[in-house]
Amino acid sequence: MNRRRALWVGLSALVFFLLVLPASVRVLADKPVLAGSESYGHLRIANHIAKDGIPVVDSAIPERAYRINAFDFVLAVFVRIFGEVLGALLLPFLLGLGSVWCLGLALRRWKIDRLTVFCIMLVFVISPVFVNVFVQATPRALELFLFSLIFLVLSPGRPSSRIAIPASVL
């Protein structure tokens, strides 16, 4: 295996390790699997959407009307396919992998040398923000993924701005 490929395989392994480790530690410590109360709030709404459709009011706070959130709909699809806990763990994990992939491709389209791209990606992946965003089932995971997707679509190399404008509206 050449050196460049080994660096990217190593980075991929690091991403996998950093995103799987927190849930594994929580399971081994006999703590709730999902981190943060916000994850459970979105999971509760996603369960309601998957079973009964869009709620009119938030069941936890009946005085408050439910505000539609795209993340809750995507999470509802994952909950329906994979179950509650696995869906809530898998969605941010896949969004994190997708963000790394989109950002790496976009940086390479800007004709930045591979070592610099690798260093930028390494800093992105080991940052606490990356781990925090893509370990919790919160809308920030979808937002960061969409941002990196738009960055990829708007990067030079291919005329793809027709896709970027509708994606940026989301």
Side-chain angles (χ1 to χ4, degrees), residues 126-145:
I126 63 172
S127 70
V129 171
F130 177 82
V131 175
N132 185 21
V133 167
F134 294 115
V135 165
Q136 298 183 34
T138 63
R140 288 180 293 284
L142 182 62
E143 292 162 2
L144 192 55
F145 169 73

Side-chain angles (χ1 to χ4, degrees), residues 68-135:
I68 293 177
N69 187 335
F71 179 79
D72 293 337
F73 289 103
V74 176
L75 184 58
V77 170
F78 271 73
V79 164
R80 193 170 195 124
I81 294 171
F82 299 106
E84 281 186 20
V85 175
L86 184 59
L89 290 172
L90 193 60
L91 176 61
F93 176 78
L94 293 176
L95 291 173
L97 289 178
S99 294
V100 168
W101 181 75
C102 287
L103 186 60
L105 283 176
L107 290 172
R108 288 178 65 191
R109 281 189 185 177
W110 284 93
K111 306 283 189 236
I112 301 172
D113 68 284
R114 292 182 187 265
L115 184 60
T116 305
V117 170
F118 176 78
C119 291
I120 292 170
M121 297 302 298
L122 184 63
V123 168
F124 175 64
V125 166
I126 63 172
S127 70
V129 171
F130 177 82
V131 175
N132 185 21
V133 167
F134 294 115
V135 165

Side-chain angles (χ1 to χ4, degrees), residues 10-56:
L11 183 67
S12 300
L14 180 64
V15 169
F16 181 80
F17 176 75
L18 287 175
L19 293 180
V20 170
L21 181 67
S24 302
V25 168
R26 294 182 72 77
V27 167
L28 292 174
D30 202 25
K31 303 244 182 192
V33 177
L34 297 179
S37 60
E38 189 177 356
S39 296
Y40 285 101
H42 288 287
L43 182 58
R44 179 181 43 79
I45 295 288
N47 275 327
H48 190 282
I49 291 171
K51 292 177 185 169
D52 304 323
I54 302 170
V56 176

